[in-house]
Amino acid sequence: MSNIRQAGTFTLGSHTVKRLGYGAMQLAGPGVFGPPKDHDAALAVLREAVAQGIDHIDTSDFYGPHVTNRLIREALAPYKDDLVIVTKIGARRGADGSWLPAFSAEALTQAVHDNLSNLGLEVLDVVNLRIMFDTHGPAEGSIEAPLTVLAELQQQGLVRHIGLSNVTPAQIAEGREIAEIVCVQNQYNLAHRGDDALIDDLARDGIAYVPFFPLGGFNPLQSSTLSEVAARLGAAPMQVALAWLLRRAPNILLIPGTSSVGHLRENLAAAELELPQDALSELDGVALAA
């Protein structure tokens, strides 16, 4: 069993969670659409995650859609008291699997109720509002209208804490005027480091930063430097990429996803990987070369 406690802990809303969590996105079918290719294997990964000590899982009702939440409920309900389930709203899936904005008050309210029902919960621990002005990355624009809807759902007792996803620093500042923001979820990894200053600002304010695609996502990280450092340390490149993120800032929470128990264990072993200073310096240069 991996010792993920070695990665430390950080505050997420009213909980203190281990910094290595699990992202459920890959449990759905190809393109995060439709059922998993192996239903029992998906349940096994979720159960193994909790058995390994993971205490926060990232999901959304638009994964599948509805697929990952129903798998989580089947695998893990009744939930352990210390398990934090973080979900997302603000998008929906087209019949062709496309990712579409779903920002109306009606769509956001329905999404919260769908997450509650499919997860089998009476209140959602953390809900991230996914901003969809541009599906490829953050784009400026006011988030006041959709965030106000989510804040009202929080006041109704359906949502405990609010986060933001795919956002700019200006949107985070706007959001913090409307509601308490407990986490920010943006794309960030060894080669994609546009949020460096933001991560440090959030760390000072005690706000968690959750990088999605920590391993590159649909375009996996390809770096000869990463491969060379990994070979020298006797580790997998993805373990090194995760270990680098853990070293990058204390407020980074990781949610690497996988549909394989073997890959899950490999990812979690990153908590125990020591990166010597020369390796860190080499890895810090990857973004400059990208």
Side-chain angles (χ1 to χ4, degrees), residues 11-80:
T11 305
L12 183 59
S14 48
H15 294 265
T16 297
V17 297
K18 300 185 191 85
R19 291 178 61 211
L20 257 170
Y22 173 73
M25 184 164 122
Q26 290 187 31
L27 293 183
V32 202
F33 200 65
K37 61 178 183 287
D38 186 331
H39 186 92
D40 290 344
L43 299 181
V45 170
L46 286 161
R47 289 171 181 149
E48 179 68 11
V50 172
Q52 291 279 350
I54 282 178
D55 56 13
H56 73 283
I57 291 177
D58 183 86
T59 185
S60 173
D61 223 50
F62 55 71
Y63 294 164
H66 315 305
V67 170
T68 61
N69 280 355
R70 289 172 181 167
L71 288 167
I72 288 167
R73 181 179 188 175
E74 183 180 350
L76 302 176
Y79 302 109
K80 293 174 69 170

Side-chain angles (χ1 to χ4, degrees), residues 43-225:
L43 299 181
V45 170
L46 286 161
R47 289 171 181 149
E48 179 68 11
V50 172
Q52 291 279 350
I54 282 178
D55 56 13
H56 73 283
I57 291 177
D58 183 86
T59 185
S60 173
D61 223 50
F62 55 71
Y63 294 164
H66 315 305
V67 170
T68 61
N69 280 355
R70 289 172 181 167
L71 288 167
I72 288 167
R73 181 179 188 175
E74 183 180 350
L76 302 176
Y79 302 109
K80 293 174 69 170
D81 289 343
D82 66 347
L83 182 65
V84 180
I85 298 177
V86 180
T87 188
K88 266 181 295 303
I89 63 173
R92 64 182 178 85
R93 305 302 293 279
D96 59 351
S98 54
W99 304 79
L100 306 168
F103 268 2
S104 70
E106 184 182 44
L108 294 168
T109 303
Q110 185 62 50
V112 164
H113 284 284
D114 285 348
N115 277 282
L116 285 166
S117 139
N118 285 314
L119 287 165
L121 292 169
E122 293 180 359
V123 56
L124 298 171
D125 276 318
V126 183
V127 175
N128 286 317
L129 178 63
R130 166 84 182 186
I131 302 303
M132 294 282 289
F133 297 149
D134 183 344
T135 52
H136 301 295
E140 295 294 358
S142 174
I143 63 171
E144 180 181 2
L147 185 55
T148 299
V149 174
L150 183 50
E152 286 167 359
L153 292 163
Q154 182 184 37
Q155 285 154 15
Q156 291 169 29
L158 299 177
V159 174
R160 283 199 185 94
H161 302 288
I162 292 174
L164 295 171
S165 176
N166 205 40
V167 282
T168 67
Q171 288 164 338
I172 296 166
E174 180 186 31
R176 292 179 70 186
E177 296 290 320
I178 297 165
E180 182 188 359
I181 302 301
V182 302
C183 57
V184 171
Q185 200 178 81
N186 276 2
Q187 182 175 357
Y188 182 84
N189 56 48
L190 200 53
H192 190 283
R193 296 186 56 180
D195 275 358
D196 267 338
L198 173 63
I199 288 170
D200 296 334
D201 289 343
L202 294 174
R204 280 191 288 275
D205 290 340
I207 297 173
Y209 182 92
V210 188
F212 62 77
F213 295 158
L215 308 177
F218 298 117
N219 301 298
L221 285 177
Q222 307 252 320
S223 159
S224 55
T225 302

